[in-house]
Amino acid sequence: MVDAFHEANALFVDGEYDSALREYTRALDAEPDNAEYYAKRAVAHTELGNYIDAVADATKSIKLAPTLKAFLRKGEALFRLEEYDEAELAFRKGLDLVPDSIILRRWLRKCQAERSPAIVAKPRPMAVQPASSAVPPSAPATPAALSAPGGPAMSAPKPVPPSDPSRVRHEWYQTLTHVVVSVLIRGCAEGDVSVAYDHAALDIAIKLPGSHSEYQLSLSLFGKIDTEACKHTVGPTKVEVRMKKVEATKWDSLEGSGDGGLKAFQPPPPAAPAAGSTSTEASARPAYPTSRQKKVDWNSLENEVKRNEDEEKLEGDEALQKLFRDIYARSDEDTRRAMNKSFQTSGGTVLSTNWGEVKEKNYEEERSAPTGQEWKKWG
């Protein structure tokens, strides 16, 4: 069911993973042999922490059609389950298909780092007081003295999570609508995690398991976030913070000034109006500081530039693209979703702003290729 699949993709982008999972399942009920649907549902399971189900869906997708994405989804879910050997095997099989895949090589390095032997401190010698025969004080303790004859051998202490906050790492990624920050700490309890959101700031405090130390992360964000739509989840291997952007734009970096990286200009105190100026509004605006002797009416220059931009007459594709950009910039969220879906699913032949119509329509079935050509689905 193509409609259910597209609806699931839209829900997934919005971070509604439970609803997306239901729609992917509906799509699979209609097309149980669709490998792409299984791979997509595996991603939804991974986001919800259902790693075993994610492995099962990814494995089914591989059996139907082995692809890079299917091996990637299977390896990632196995990695979350700490099955590093099996995860590495999945990533290597993906590399057999796409040898130059950067993301698969990155996951391989993660597996190898997790499987490297941990450095464990040597246990201190234990003092033993035998019941019958005394051991001379000068005699060194032996393994026989540390355990009863025939008893179980002493095992080395298990590695513990890092207790040094400086060793904790964080990483981030973004979609058009959300920014996700992951703090890589294992075994955190929900009560040990505190997350505070501001309009352009994020503060995270996590008590490290097995110690009295606390990891703190304070970020001044690149852009503004919707504090009411932000949330965090505590998983077995990380703490994930998901923040919704106020504006659906790409951030150049995670940190910044909170207004997209551009700081507002702070004008100097008002200056006297230029000679011959008759505009009250123009005379009230500040003059820019300069070392030049000749005074320049910057207000007039600014107005002239704006007027030239507005009066510039574009032709052909440039005029059409400018029209589309203007419509998109002034539109609400539903209108933008309608424009994106109609344009992408129709192969660039339809651009609609009516979300009520677009969300129920299947342009992939209705679109027609130019004469002498045919539509073909890749991947």
Side-chain angles (χ1 to χ4, degrees):
M1 186 183 296
V2 179
D3 288 342
F5 180 68
H6 289 313
E7 181 65 20
N9 288 338
L11 291 167
F12 184 90
V13 170
D14 290 339
E16 300 178 21
Y17 302 125
D18 288 317
S19 301
L21 185 63
R22 287 194 296 270
E23 294 301 318
Y24 284 133
T25 302
R26 282 184 56 209
L28 279 168
D29 289 341
E31 299 182 44
D33 294 329
N34 193 307
E36 183 181 5
Y37 291 1
Y38 278 107
K40 288 286 189 179
R41 193 171 71 171
V43 186
H45 276 308
T46 301
E47 291 292 341
L48 291 169
N50 307 331
Y51 302 130
I52 295 178
D53 293 330
V55 172
D57 276 353
T59 302
K60 181 68 174 178
S61 178
I62 291 170
K63 289 181 179 179
L64 292 170
T67 62
L68 179 148
K69 288 185 178 180
F71 283 114
L72 175 62
R73 304 314 175 200
K74 181 177 181 179
E76 184 178 354
L78 288 167
F79 185 91
R80 304 301 181 193
L81 291 169
E82 301 185 7
E83 299 289 343
Y84 303 122
D85 291 332
E86 295 296 324
E88 181 175 344
L89 180 60
F91 294 137
R92 290 193 180 280
K93 288 183 177 179
L95 280 172
D96 290 341
L97 297 177
V98 186
D100 57 348
S101 172
I102 297 176
I103 188 170
L104 287 177
R105 294 187 181 278
R106 185 183 302 128
W107 275 106
L108 268 181
R109 290 195 296 270
K110 288 185 178 181
C111 290
Q112 292 163 359
E114 292 292 342
R115 291 194 297 106
S116 61
I119 300 175
V120 182
K122 293 179 64 177
R124 295 180 179 178
M126 299 174 58
V128 181
Q129 296 292 338
S132 56
S133 59
V135 178
S138 60
T142 63
L146 298 178
S147 60
M154 293 180 63
S155 59
K158 295 181 179 180
V160 296
S163 58
D164 182 2
S166 64
R167 297 181 59 189
V168 178
R169 297 187 299 109
H170 74 275
E171 56 188 26
W172 76 287
Y173 69 91
Q174 64 174 315
T175 64
L176 189 62
T177 57
H178 289 79
V179 175
V180 180
V181 176
S182 300
V183 181
L184 308 180
I185 302 180
R186 287 199 184 94
C188 288
E190 184 73 36
D192 294 336
V193 179
S194 173
V195 182
Y197 307 98
D198 200 354
H199 293 297
L202 171 67
D203 292 295
I204 303 175
I206 304 173
K207 181 182 177 183
L208 299 182
S211 75
H212 298 289
S213 301
E214 184 179 69
Y215 169 79
Q216 294 183 349
L217 179 65
S218 297
L219 299 173
S220 178
L221 301 174
F222 182 84
K224 290 183 172 58
I225 58 174
D226 182 356
T227 57
E228 298 298 327
C230 297
K231 62 181 180 179
H232 74 276
T233 56
V234 180
T237 59
K238 66 179 179 180
V239 176
E240 183 175 277
V241 180
R242 186 176 184 85
M243 300 173 287
K244 186 174 182 179
K245 301 175 182 177
V246 171
E247 296 183 0
T249 58
K250 181 181 178 181
W251 289 9
D252 293 339
S253 61
L254 176 60
E255 298 183 74
S257 61
D259 54 6
L262 299 176
K263 295 185 177 180
F265 172 71
Q266 300 296 332
S277 175
T278 58
S279 172
T280 305
E281 180 181 356
S283 62
R285 297 183 61 182
Y288 292 85
T290 178
S291 60
R292 297 180 59 181
Q293 297 299 322
K294 182 181 178 181
K295 293 184 178 180
V296 179
D297 189 352
W298 295 106
N299 294 324
S300 299
L301 290 177
E302 180 182 359
N303 293 333
E304 183 179 353
V305 170
K306 289 183 178 179
R307 186 168 57 254
N308 290 339
E309 289 179 349
D310 294 337
E311 294 177 355
E312 182 182 6
K313 296 195 178 296
L314 301 176
E315 297 179 357
D317 289 342
E318 292 185 357
L320 187 61
Q321 291 298 328
K322 184 178 185 301
L323 174 62
F324 292 159
R325 286 196 300 270
D326 291 344
I327 295 174
Y328 192 88
R330 302 190 191 102
S331 301
D332 57 18
E333 189 66 25
D334 283 344
T335 303
R336 292 181 178 181
R337 290 174 67 182
M339 294 176 70
N340 287 332
K341 179 182 176 182
S342 61
F343 190 80
Q344 293 174 6
T345 58
S346 68
T349 61
V350 177
L351 182 64
S352 174
T353 58
N354 187 350
W355 176 242
E357 173 188 339
V358 171
K359 69 179 180 180
E360 303 294 340
K361 203 159 186 178
N362 185 359
Y363 292 98
E364 290 186 340
E365 293 183 354
E366 299 176 3
R367 65 187 180 185
S368 59
T371 305
Q373 300 181 14
E374 64 176 354
W375 289 109
K376 186 172 183 181
K377 185 176 181 181
W378 297 96

